[in-house]
Amino acid sequence: MVFAAPGEALARAEELLGADPSPLHASVAHQVIGIWQRDFGDTRRALAHLRRARDLAARAESAEREADVLATLGVALVHAGRTRAGLAAFERGVARGSGHTRARVLYRRAYVWWVLGRHGEALEDVRRAIPVLRQVDDVIWTARALTLRATVHLAQGSVERANADFTAAEALWDTTGQEHDKADAVESRGLAAFRAGDVPAALRLLDEAAERYAKLGTPTFMLTIRRCEVLMAAGLATEALAEADGAIAVLDGIGGQSTRKAELLLVAARAARLADEPRTALARAAVAVRLFAGQRRTWYETHARLVLIEARAATGRGSGRLVADAAAVAERLAAFGAPAAPEASLLAGRIALDLGWTADAERHLAVAARSRHGGPPLARMTGWAAQALRARAAGSPRGVLEACRRGLDVLDDHRMTLGASELRARATAQGAELAALAQRASLVSGGPRRLLGWSERWRATVLSAPPTRPPADPVLLTAMTAFRELAARAEETRSDGGRPAPALEREQRRLEREIRSRTLHMRGEAPGDGDRFDVARLLRRLGDEVRLVELAVLDGRVHVLLCGQGRVRRFEAGLLAEAEAEAEHVQAGLRRLAHPGAEARLPLVEAAGARLQHLLLGPAAAHLGSGPVVVVPPGRLHRVPWALLPALRDRVLSVSPSAGSWLRAGDTAPPPGGRQVLVRGPGLASGGAEVSELSDRYTGRRTPGGAGTGTPPPGTPTGTRHVPPHDEREREVAGRTGGGRPGPVAVAGGGAAARGATVVLEGDDARVPRVLRELDGAALAHIAAHGTFRADSPLFSSLRMADGPLIVHDFERLDRSPYRIILPCCDTARFASVGADELLGLVTALLPLGTAGVVACTAPVNDAAVVPLMLALHKGLDAGLSLAEALRDARAALPGDAVHQATGWAFSAFGAA
């Protein structure tokens, strides 16, 4: 009962002790309390109760009872870090017990061997226990033994054997009421899915196990360790570090198991290293090594030493001693059969290469390279990275490029199993080293064309295929609706001059976690990325007039790849760090210029734009010709206002995350019907004035047989028609997007340029479900609403609607996002740079979903100054211009004062529409 219903078991045991029981029964009660304290409470109290249980069993002269308690005491002693005393208790327990009892003792000793990382001994004890447990038809303990054996198999990399044992154990658990053990089985299946490379399934199963444990009130320290491992594999190292550190604090607060603390410290150290926090990794790993050594857990200690060496190398402490330490760790891990052994060999080889020890490097890298032909994706990636370094050391650029190509192909296949765009983006970080090696090799031997090809190979790859559509998950839809309502209430409270209640903020954060968690569970649908970048195709598309400028960063310096007129030329520009700092100065200047009275700063901002041009374009600025320009910046330069650069200021200018993305946008066909959607959200300083003028401009453009009929609501402009709120399509989309009852919509016919109806949504009509319905498949969307960028969680960046935020997750539910989108609101073109060179944000979420062009801004803007810019932009679109052409003309039509000039510079056209 202590695992099936721990709270009830504890109460029953304490009640029994209060009734003056016999020594035999009192022994059982103290053992139950000891188990509860060991797993859910204070280890010191657990040891006191278990020693009392042992003494009472001896007084009762029951050898079987004493053997059973000794086994429980042995587990508790090992978890308390007293390994020698724990193993001695097991020796006495095995000697005192017989038959069925001895089998249970052997199972628990096998568990301790697994905790200690001594997998051979664990398999031997469980091999002896299982036949006896089966013979006496002990279903619960047989299932536990099978689960343990499967876990040991996983630690040794034997996924198929583990799955067989997990399946057999689950069949047994289904016949019992052991809810804790059932939850443990789900957790174990999550671990197996992770070892097999299925990250979404692993996250889903671990979250399900967490829900089961929560119902039992069970602490989940082991689950946290496993979840952190999966999060790290998914590129969410910062999140894993926070979870591990939080669990350590809780464990310290209850005086919990020393063994679990050491394991959590190891996970935290690994997460800190992956999150590029080497000093934090050093601190966590050093304590973990000390704890594991004191607990005599050599397997774990060796893994902690690997992280310690990696952290030392990351802080620039390369030395011959470090090479020797890494090599020794690699040998010990290989002797254990640990999957991490190739990582240690790669580390030793990498440090040796940096020291110029080519012979030593070749020896270690050759060992690591063996893993490239088998195992899970990340192990094969390690092998191909080692092979690429071997080729570089041997002076073979061709070998480097072949190894990088093969390694990135492995990561491509892994990435496409991930359904969530966030996971796909973050997973690319694991290919960053291979991509950098290939770019360096291309720079040396292949010329600008090859460098362009490799720059594209691992740039904005997430945009090459749309994310998996979120399922029609009622829990997810309910959570999104509740999140929107809470966010609206919080915004209303803030606008009234107060602060949202802490309980409201906590619930909003909980709903965010639930939404994000359920989207991370999605598996990818695409079998792979067959849309390979072709330099020749790009040059044909550019022709003689258009120039594409792709900025590649190698060893901290910006290299400009200028494409056009049938060739690719390379120029060296400035240092990336200096360009980033200058871009931040420009952003600060644009923020000041958004407010009247800052005119004196205009020359300073223009001078900063000239400096940015020197750092980012260098001599290439003189070779841009006179035609349109497409800029493809790296992720870390996404906030540059490109129209501010003198050489680009008066041009038809567009920005794209990659050259491949620009080509795909150009291939995107406009949807039939040409429907236009104008949306005005609440709270804008200008009141979204351009929406009213645009609505009046489009009034009267009627297309016979357009969508919707009915009686116009009061206030509907002449020449418009009212769409009934309860047609079939609306009910379908409301169900898909989790919305409530929509309001009325004004629809006007389209003219020659629009070629379709115009839908106007404002006031209470501008609610998220109705907005999504009309955006789906539209030709043009203009959304005037407050934009909020969430650096901490980019996919919760939002546009404020009448009923709350319209977030990136909402857009991902569209069957097809609008062909063109205009976002005249602050910070809509801000992104989070993640992975190797990926961007997460509103604009990049739209591009894979059918949007070919977006106009958005990278800085806060003056709402009133936006109105004339937007009206001029639409005038250009009416005349048949592209977004980039219309934006260029709209900037030129603005007044010459500082506020309007800064507003024009803040906006960029993305894509190719």
Side-chain angles (χ1 to χ4, degrees):
M1 189 188 292
V2 75
F3 297 111
E8 184 180 350
L10 179 64
R12 293 270 295 275
E14 290 173 342
E15 180 184 348
L16 178 62
L17 288 178
D20 193 23
S22 66
L24 185 67
H25 292 174
S27 172
V28 173
H30 279 290
Q31 185 180 5
V32 166
I33 297 171
I35 292 172
W36 192 95
Q37 290 288 357
R38 181 195 69 192
D39 291 351
F40 313 138
D42 189 325
T43 305
R44 294 183 297 275
R45 292 183 181 179
L47 290 173
H49 280 285
L50 292 173
R51 290 190 179 105
R52 180 66 175 149
R54 176 199 58 194
D55 295 343
L56 288 166
R59 189 191 306 174
E61 299 182 348
S62 171
E64 302 298 310
R65 172 103 285 278
E66 189 176 353
D68 196 78
V69 175
L70 284 166
T72 304
L73 177 61
V75 172
L77 286 165
V78 169
H79 276 312
R82 301 178 58 185
T83 302
R84 181 180 296 176
L87 292 176
F90 273 112
E91 284 297 322
R92 293 196 300 277
V94 171
R96 293 286 286 162
S98 62
H100 185 198
T101 301
R102 180 181 291 166
R104 290 185 173 190
V105 173
L106 288 170
Y107 155 74
R108 283 176 281 190
R109 188 169 69 175
Y111 165 79
V112 160
W113 290 133
W114 170 71
V115 169
L116 296 173
R118 294 167 64 171
H119 300 135
E121 290 98 326
L123 289 176
E124 174 60 23
D125 271 354
V126 85
R127 181 192 65 80
R128 293 168 59 190
I130 286 176
V132 179
L133 295 171
R134 279 179 167 155
Q135 185 177 5
V136 298
D137 200 25
D138 188 337
V139 172
I140 291 174
W141 287 75
T142 301
R144 287 174 180 166
L146 288 168
T147 301
L148 174 61
R149 186 168 70 181
T151 305
V152 176
H153 284 321
L154 277 183
Q156 294 183 320
S158 302
V159 177
E160 290 183 4
R161 290 181 179 179
N163 278 327
D165 277 344
F166 280 139
T167 301
E170 275 199 274
L172 293 175
W173 289 128
D174 285 342
T175 67
T176 75
Q178 294 294 117
E179 296 306 320
H180 180 278
D181 288 302
K182 289 180 182 179
D184 184 64
V186 174
E187 178 185 340
S188 298
R189 279 199 290 121
L191 180 61
F194 170 53
R195 295 282 187 259
D198 192 343
V199 170
L203 288 171
R204 176 177 56 79
L205 289 164
L206 292 178
D207 286 348
E208 180 186 337
E211 291 174 7
R212 290 172 177 250
Y213 287 132
K215 292 176 182 176
L216 296 171
T218 303
T220 54
F221 299 114
M222 194 69 224
L223 178 69
T224 297
I225 291 167
R226 288 169 173 172
R227 180 174 160 78
C228 287
E229 289 178 355
V230 181
L231 290 173
M232 284 186 280
L236 300 169
T238 301
E239 193 170 317
L241 176 59
E243 286 199 22
D245 280 349
I248 291 168
V250 172
L251 196 67
D252 285 344
I254 65 173
Q257 298 170 355
S258 172
T259 49
R260 288 288 177 259
K261 180 175 180 177
E263 292 163 25
L264 284 164
L265 282 164
L266 172 56
V267 166
R270 289 183 56 221
R273 178 180 58 79
L274 292 173
D276 200 24
E277 297 185 30
R279 298 198 178 280
T280 302
L282 270 173
R284 303 288 191 279
V287 179
V289 166
R290 189 165 64 249
L291 285 174
F292 285 132
Q295 295 163 4
R296 300 177 176 236
R297 302 172 71 187
T298 310
W299 189 89
Y300 284 97
E301 181 191 348
T302 308
H303 280 80
R305 289 191 182 280
L306 171 59
V307 181
L308 191 64
I309 297 166
E310 288 173 332
R312 286 173 177 162
T315 57
R317 301 182 186 178
S319 65
R321 173 64 181 273
L322 215 54
V323 174
D325 288 346
V329 165
E331 288 181 8
R332 285 199 292 273
L333 290 172
F336 292 140
E343 294 178 34
S345 294
L346 174 61
L347 177 62
R350 189 183 283 121
I351 299 171
L353 266 185
D354 290 341
L355 293 172
W357 298 3
T358 53
D360 290 287
E362 166 60 22
R363 185 172 72 256
H364 298 306
L365 292 172
V367 174
R370 294 173 193 159
S371 68
R372 68 190 187 276
H373 295 305
L378 298 185
R380 283 179 282 150
M381 282 283 298
T382 298
W384 285 116
Q387 187 67 9
L389 289 173
R390 292 178 73 196
R392 189 185 73 174
S396 171
R398 174 180 286 186
V400 173
L401 294 176
E402 174 63 13
C404 292
R405 181 184 66 79
R406 297 285 295 274
L408 291 177
D409 283 348
V410 171
L411 194 48
D412 264 336
D413 291 340
H414 167 64
R415 183 172 51 82
M416 295 309 292
T417 68
L418 307 174
S421 53
E422 180 180 0
L423 288 189
R424 288 185 185 179
R426 296 185 185 279
T428 61
Q430 291 144 352
E433 181 184 19
L434 287 172
L437 285 169
Q439 285 180 299
R440 292 191 193 101
S442 300
L443 187 63
V444 170
S445 67
R449 278 195 179 217
R450 180 173 285 177
L451 179 57
L452 175 64
W454 277 101
S455 177
E456 281 290 302
R457 178 65 181 82
W458 210 242
R459 179 194 290 265
T461 56
V462 170
L463 305 187
S464 64
T468 300
R469 305 291 181 186
D473 178 351
V475 176
L476 176 60
L477 296 178
T478 300
M480 291 179 74
T481 302
F483 165 76
R484 191 172 299 120
E485 291 173 353
L486 278 174
R489 286 166 54 195
E491 179 62 32
E492 184 178 348
T493 305
R494 277 191 291 267
S495 64
D496 290 341
R499 283 180 50 83
L504 196 68
E505 292 182 331
R506 283 195 300 272
E507 180 63 9
Q508 187 174 338
R509 288 194 296 269
R510 185 193 69 78
L511 287 167
E512 284 187 14
R513 289 194 298 270
E514 183 174 342
I515 292 167
R516 185 165 177 265
S517 173
R518 297 191 82 86
T519 55
L520 296 184
H521 297 169
M522 296 184 299
R523 278 191 59 81
E525 297 171 351
D529 182 7
D531 183 14
R532 293 298 188 196
F533 176 72
D534 183 351
V535 176
R537 176 173 168 243
L538 172 67
L539 293 174
R540 287 194 301 271
R541 179 72 64 82
L542 292 171
D544 292 333
E545 296 299 319
V546 184
R547 300 287 187 274
L548 184 140
V549 177
E550 178 147 333
L551 305 182
V553 179
L554 279 80
D555 300 321
R557 182 166 293 279
V558 178
H559 293 255
V560 183
L561 298 171
L562 181 59
C563 311
Q565 294 183 310
R567 59 179 175 158
V568 181
R569 290 177 286 173
R570 182 179 68 85
F571 301 87
E572 283 195 19
L575 296 176
L576 176 64
E578 293 180 8
E580 286 184 287
E582 198 65 60
E584 287 303 315
H585 292 319
V586 167
Q587 283 290 326
L590 290 178
R591 283 195 294 272
R592 293 284 300 276
L593 290 174
H595 304 283
E599 290 82 359
R601 298 195 62 84
L602 184 61
L604 300 176
V605 172
E606 291 184 295
R611 290 193 296 273
L612 262 180
Q613 176 171 300
H614 173 72
L615 290 167
L616 295 176
L617 299 181
H623 300 272
L624 296 177
S626 58
V629 173
V630 181
V631 177
V632 178
R636 290 168 63 181
L637 294 174
H638 65 274
R639 295 199 67 193
V640 171
W642 297 97
L644 176 62
L645 275 57
L648 304 177
R649 195 167 296 174
D650 300 320
R651 290 180 181 272
V652 175
L653 171 67
S654 58
V655 181
S656 181
S658 71
S661 176
W662 181 78
L663 285 172
R664 284 188 293 274
D667 290 337
T668 303
R675 186 174 75 259
Q676 299 173 105
V677 182
L678 306 176
V679 181
R680 176 159 54 184
L684 294 171
S686 68
E690 80 273 13
V691 174
S692 294
E693 294 201 34
L694 292 172
S695 175
D696 292 342
R697 179 185 297 177
Y698 295 139
T699 296
R701 292 183 178 180
R702 299 187 54 115
T703 299
T709 58
T711 304
T716 300
T718 304
T720 62
R721 288 171 296 141
H722 173 55
V723 180
H726 294 295
D727 63 6
E728 288 302 318
R729 180 166 174 261
E730 183 160 313
R731 282 198 294 270
E732 174 194 343
V733 177
R736 188 168 68 241
T737 56
R741 190 171 70 83
V745 177
V747 179
R755 287 194 279 174
T758 297
V759 180
V760 182
L761 301 174
E762 52 192 349
D764 197 49
D765 297 341
R767 300 172 70 83
V768 170
R770 173 56 71 87
V771 171
L772 288 174
R773 171 211 166 183
E774 297 301 341
L775 292 181
D776 210 332
L780 173 68
H782 180 108
I783 308 176
H786 273 303
T788 301
F789 174 71
R790 286 279 301 274
D792 62 321
S793 191
L795 297 189
F796 281 93
S797 298
S798 63
L799 301 172
R800 185 179 165 197
M801 298 290 106
D803 58 339
L806 173 65
I807 61 176
V808 173
H809 289 295
D810 289 314
F811 280 103
E812 290 186 343
R813 302 191 66 78
L814 296 175
D815 288 333
R816 177 174 178 174
S817 62
Y819 177 70
R820 286 173 170 171
I821 298 184
I822 299 171
L823 300 169
C825 28
C826 300
D827 289 340
T828 47
R830 286 188 63 187
F831 312 101
S833 182
V834 300
D837 202 6
E838 304 289 339
L839 295 170
L840 289 178
L842 185 57
V843 172
T844 53
L846 296 169
L847 293 177
L849 297 172
T851 294
V854 181
V855 168
C857 67
T858 60
V861 288
N862 184 286
D863 279 356
V866 167
V867 175
L869 180 71
M870 292 297 107
L871 292 175
L873 175 67
H874 278 269
K875 181 179 178 181
L877 296 178
D878 261 2
L881 300 181
S882 70
L883 286 172
E885 291 168 332
L887 184 59
R888 186 269 313 266
D889 291 355
R891 287 195 195 101
L894 287 174
D897 62 275
V899 172
H900 284 89
Q901 290 299 304
T903 301
W905 292 331
F907 280 88
S908 296
F910 297 85

